[in-house]
Amino acid sequence: MVKYEDKVVVTLDINGEVHKAAVRPSDVLLDVLRQKLGLTAAKPGCKNGDCGTCTIIIDGLPAKSCLVLAVEAENHKIQTVEGLRGQSPAQRAFVDANAFQCGYCTSGFLMVCEALRQNYPTYPDEQIVEEWLQSNLCRCTSYKEIRNAVRLMYEYKT
Amino acid sequence: MIPFNFTYYRPDSLEEAVRIHSELTSKGLSAVYYSGGSEIITMCRAGSIRPDAVIDIKEIPELKSLAMDESCLRIGSACTLYKIKQSKAYPLLALACGRIADHTNQCRITLGGNICGTIIYKETVPPLLLSDAEVTLLGPEGKRTVPFSDVFDGRIHLLPSELLVSAQIPKWALSAQHFHIKLTAQEKIDYPLVSIAALIKDNFLRIAFSGVCSFPFRSQQIELVLNNKSLSISERAERAASLIPEEYSDRAGSAEYRRFVFKNAIEELLEEWENG
Ligand SMILES: Cc1cc2nc3c(=O)[nH]c(=O)nc-3n(C[C@H](O)[C@H](O)[C@H](O)COP(=O)(O)OP(=O)(O)OC[C@H]3O[C@@H](n4cnc5c(N)ncnc54)[C@H](O)[C@@H]3O)c2cc1C
Ligand code: FES
Ligand code: FES
């Protein structure tokens, strides 16, 4: 059994690298990524599970990091936009499709798209794309361009 | 940020989870079972709960499993909505899970959290009520398996420190004809204005609801009306709407608007059932 009371050092597997952070059991993963580990790609928005701008990938599926505790993420594989290293199909597609304006929602959308590609190596049903993207909000209304970016992402190999 | 701290436990077994919960409670401390955690984190952040301890149960193998045995489908309470939806093992429940919150949240919200949480909609409940599902509960006094409808009347009644282990769905329900309609005031991913689940058994329409009022329910009275084929579809829908057990209004819709949407959805459902 695991029991954490006060500050504890957790070991997290993020983008294939080992990271250690001193956290309280009640610290939310989003805050730990940003404030303790300097991984600022995941953005705080609503902090309530609604907007999706804090989305990361945990064990191959998208997760809103504002609704995850850092201590629960131990022993799981975490991916953030930093791990895409600027050259992933999703990132290139977003640039080429002009799929952002202010860019605040972009890292969340990128992680949803990356998770989609990992789960569906070939372009899935439109309905699945729609369902996955519905988890994220864009207030600059780039939705049409984002749909185009998903199509483009599937044309880019790696 | 959660503005206070709690102790985090991750027990290896069900028995250990229940033991920790009852020990903490007997010391006067407040403990919560922590499954997907989405509601607990939200409520802690907002200051509406302040637990001394959270007991993370979602790694316990029995709670994560979804499997068939001879007579039923057994779904562990820590199965995520996404897992239940992807398995398609119980198609009506899969449809309901696929419409709760949004896809990303479905990857974390669990069956147990949806049933035992405080958010009023609990949209996994109607498919369980309709299928005569049983639930297994474990508490300090031991394990019990009971019809879900015996412990659920708008909310679940658990004994002190009791944990929902699993839901068992009888086999007939897994292949029964079914209908699912969820209508929201604005976005598809919003809370329901009216959410309807229906399952056909022996040519009889069973029906249960969420969103219509402040708790999910199955109504035998409404079922009798809807199965009365001597009445027209619109007469049946009209009478069913008058049997909604509570007037419920919120920002998404007034009670009157809910009744209107309810009536139209029922007509659509009956039309599809009777005329294909
Ligand atoms: C953005 C968003 C949208 C939502 N939309 C909908 C919707 O459309 N329809 C709908 O029905 N719901 C909706 N919900 C509500 C959601 O289903 C509930 O908040 C649910 O409680 C979350 O499940 P969880 O596993 O994360 O719960 P947790 O936060 O882990 O737990 C919630 C409560 O249940 C208790 N609990 C959990 N598991 C067990 C168990 N096995 N035994 C005993 N007690 C247990 C916990 O102690 C806690 O009190 C939404 C939630 C969010 C965040
Ligand atoms: S900040 Fe996490 S969903 Fe909005
Ligand atoms: S680009 Fe500004 S919120 Fe999406």
Side-chain angles (χ1 to χ4, degrees), chain A residues 1-6 24-26 28 31 46-50 55 58 61-64 66-69 71-72 74-76 112 119-120 131-132 134-136, chain B residues 1-12 16 20 34-38 41-42 45 54 56 58-59 82 85-86 98 102-108 188-189:
Chain A
M1 184 188 64
V2 167
K3 177 183 177 186
Y4 296 145
E5 265 169 305
D6 297 318
R24 294 181 314 164
S26 64
V28 167
D31 298 332
C46 65
K47 294 195 165 182
N48 204 40
D50 293 310
T55 305
I58 303 182
L61 289 171
K64 296 187 177 177
C66 67
L67 293 185
V68 179
L69 298 175
V71 287
E72 338 165 39
E74 278 184 315
N75 309 321
H76 295 279
V112 169
N119 284 272
Y120 297 92
E131 265 173 32
W132 284 56
Q134 253 165 1
S135 309
N136 294 48
Chain B
M1 195 185 82
I2 295 176
F4 57 87
N5 198 17
F6 45 60
T7 306
Y8 172 84
Y9 293 87
R10 195 189 306 135
D12 299 315
E16 199 172 42
I20 296 165
Y34 182 99
S35 194
S38 42
I41 292 181
T42 306
R45 198 179 49 82
V54 305
D56 188 351
K58 69 178 160 306
E59 308 279 352
Y82 177 70
K85 170 178 133 179
Q86 288 298 94
D102 56 57
H103 175 267
T104 300
N105 280 306
Q106 288 161 16
C107 296
R108 285 202 83 77
K188 209 174 159 195
I189 55 169

Side-chain angles (χ1 to χ4, degrees), chain B residues 109-128:
Chain B
I109 295 175
T110 63
L111 180 69
N114 185 256
I115 296 172
C116 304
T118 49
I119 298 204
I120 60 172
Y121 304 104
K122 310 178 198 311
E123 288 182 81
T124 60
V125 164
L128 298 185

